[in-house]
Amino acid sequence: RLTGQQQEINNLIQTKIAVDEENARLKNEFSNLNQKFKDKSQELKDTEECAWKKEEQNRLVIKNLEEENKGLNTCCADLLNDLEKLRNQEAQWKTEKSGNDARIKCLETDLAEAREQMKELRSICSNLSSQVAVKQEELSQKDCDVIRAKKELQELQNLYRQNIEHTVQQAELIKQLQTLNTD
């Protein structure tokens, strides 16, 4: 009977040893799992903190982008206004250019007419010069009409001077018209 109890005790000791070993193994496994849990908890905490920081950064970036977008929209509106003003200005300039072109045509016509008048005046001057020469010849031939001839000659010379002055004025007018035409 003692041997049976001894055997039973041995069995129980073996079982206790096995249980203790299993306990030690489980404790070790539990400790490892607990460490892994702590590590994973820390990792989760770090990840959550990182995610929160990223979210904050993203909010800040979105806010900055919204501000920048608002600024760009304002800038775009200003540029569109400037473009509209420039288009209006261009239309106004085209109208003014059209008016200036018409004025230039008129001035060119006036200049052509002035040149024709100048030709006529030159012809008149040439004729008058011829007449003066004829009168001078007549005066030299008519001694008895010297006083009257001198008077006529004086009048013709005055007329001649007036025509030259008129020609000079015409030349000045042509010069002004050319300057206007160049402008």
Side-chain angles (χ1 to χ4, degrees), residues 115-132:
R115 284 182 177 149
E116 284 300 316
Q117 285 177 3
M118 211 173 91
K119 278 183 188 175
E120 289 172 16
L121 287 170
R122 280 187 184 142
S123 176
I124 290 168
C125 283
S126 178
N127 290 338
L128 287 172
S129 295
S130 299
Q131 287 175 20
V132 166

Side-chain angles (χ1 to χ4, degrees), residues 44-102:
L44 178 66
K45 188 178 174 185
D46 292 346
T47 305
E48 283 175 347
E49 195 174 318
C50 186
W52 183 80
K53 282 180 182 174
K54 284 269 187 202
E55 201 174 314
E56 279 299 308
Q57 283 178 342
N58 286 343
R59 279 196 200 108
L60 194 62
V61 167
I62 288 168
K63 187 180 176 185
N64 290 339
L65 287 173
E66 284 172 350
E67 287 295 319
E68 192 177 335
N69 191 34
K70 201 183 286 181
L72 288 172
N73 284 338
T74 304
C75 186
C76 198
D78 291 345
L79 287 172
L80 285 172
N81 286 338
D82 290 348
L83 179 64
E84 188 61 29
K85 284 176 188 171
L86 287 172
R87 283 185 178 151
N88 291 339
Q89 203 172 34
E90 182 190 19
Q92 186 181 343
W93 285 344
K94 281 182 180 173
T95 305
E96 285 175 11
K97 186 185 178 298
S98 175
N100 287 339
D101 288 347

Side-chain angles (χ1 to χ4, degrees), residues 1 7 32 38 115-116 118 124 136 155 158 162 167 173-174 177:
R1 188 172 175 199
Q7 185 64 38
N32 288 340
K38 283 180 183 174
R115 284 182 177 149
E116 284 300 316
M118 211 173 91
I124 290 168
Q136 283 175 338
E155 287 173 5
N158 286 342
Q162 286 175 358
T167 303
L173 176 65
I174 286 166
L177 286 170

Side-chain angles (χ1 to χ4, degrees), residues 17 24 30 34 40 60 74 87 93 112 114 128 134 142 160 173:
I17 290 170
F30 176 75
N34 201 25
K40 290 290 180 189
L60 194 62
T74 304
R87 283 185 178 151
W93 285 344
L128 287 172
V134 168
K142 296 180 181 180
Y160 179 71
L173 176 65

Side-chain angles (χ1 to χ4, degrees), residues 142-179:
K142 296 180 181 180
D143 290 337
C144 61
D145 297 333
V146 168
I147 295 169
R148 188 174 51 83
K150 278 185 181 179
K151 195 174 180 182
E152 285 179 8
L153 179 62
Q154 189 68 39
E155 287 173 5
L156 286 172
Q157 285 174 339
N158 286 342
L159 184 61
Y160 179 71
R161 274 192 219 99
Q162 286 175 358
N163 280 323
I164 287 174
E165 284 172 9
H166 192 244
T167 303
V168 169
Q169 287 173 357
Q170 288 293 323
E172 187 62 33
L173 176 65
I174 286 166
K175 209 180 280 181
Q176 288 174 0
L177 286 170
Q178 285 173 337
T179 305

